Amino acid sequence: MNVRFMDTSIVMNLLEVPHMCADAESVKSEFAKAVAEKETLILPMSTIIESGNHIAHITNGTIRREKALKFQEFLKKTAREEAPWTFYGVELTKEDLEFLADEFPNRALHMGMGIGDMSIIRFYEKYKETTPGIGRIMIWSTDAHLAGYREMMTMKRRKNR
């Protein structure tokens, strides 16, 4: 089982959002391969929020509307479970919020990392802890600070066998 958490940079390339889709060809090619290989694609809530914000800030109104309508369809397919990805990360617990609050100043200062990216990392880590499996898990991103999250998952063993 291979699992990919989709970052905003991937969605921007899939939707071909102006000034944010320099890797559109390679992302679309890799996306097609991931779908064909039936990889588990995960769309975190923070990716949805960040993507919508980027689209809303497109300066050209005609292009903004075009991408907003394309994103609308993207969201509807997600809600109807017609998309090749799964929606994930809806519930932000008090512990998650505490973690983000504690980590944010340092990560913002030293890495330029925002809460959206931090929450993707947080849910990636939680997914690893709660999902048994064999295969690769990664954050799929064109951003270097997220693309480094990639590792092999191993079958978790029960302690009381």
Side-chain angles (χ1 to χ4, degrees):
M1 171 174 80
N2 291 322
V3 177
R4 294 177 187 238
F5 274 71
M6 296 169 60
D7 173 45
T8 307
S9 63
I10 300 305
V11 174
M12 296 293 93
N13 279 285
L14 290 174
L15 295 175
E16 295 187 33
V17 172
H19 310 294
M20 303 191 83
C21 63
D23 301 309
E25 265 188 56
S26 63
V27 166
K28 286 182 176 189
S29 174
E30 191 170 344
F31 177 75
K33 182 180 173 190
V35 170
E37 293 178 4
K38 298 185 191 261
E39 292 189 18
T40 300
L41 301 172
I42 295 177
L43 183 66
M45 182 64 180
S46 55
T47 297
I48 292 171
I49 292 169
E50 286 184 336
S51 297
N53 285 341
H54 287 306
I55 291 167
H57 289 99
I58 296 171
T59 54
N60 180 307
T62 302
I63 296 172
R64 183 173 55 244
R65 177 151 177 79
E66 173 193 325
K67 298 306 174 184
L69 289 171
K70 199 170 180 182
F71 191 54
Q72 176 187 43
E73 187 61 27
F74 185 99
L75 294 176
K76 285 185 176 196
K77 284 183 178 182
T78 302
R80 295 176 188 146
E81 297 180 356
E82 297 169 355
W85 50 78
T86 302
F87 178 56
Y88 185 82
V90 176
E91 186 176 330
L92 186 68
T93 66
K94 290 178 184 179
E95 291 79 17
D96 295 329
L97 192 55
E98 286 276 348
F99 173 83
L100 294 173
D102 288 342
E103 294 290 319
F104 180 67
N106 190 41
R107 291 191 187 201
L109 179 63
H110 297 293
M111 299 176 186
M113 188 181 295
I115 292 289
D117 289 348
M118 288 177 60
S119 68
I120 292 171
I121 294 167
R122 179 71 173 179
F123 286 116
Y124 162 87
E125 295 292 345
K126 287 178 80 168
Y127 187 91
K128 284 190 325 185
E129 291 172 11
T130 59
T131 306
I134 298 173
R136 182 190 68 218
I137 184 169
M138 65 186 288
I139 296 176
W140 186 22
S141 178
T142 61
D143 300 336
H145 66 278
L146 290 177
Y149 286 86
R150 170 188 309 254
E151 59 195 273
M152 294 303 290
M153 295 188 329
T154 57
M155 186 64 80
K156 293 183 169 68
R157 300 173 192 251
R158 293 185 193 168
K159 291 185 178 180
N160 299 325
R161 273 204 190 213

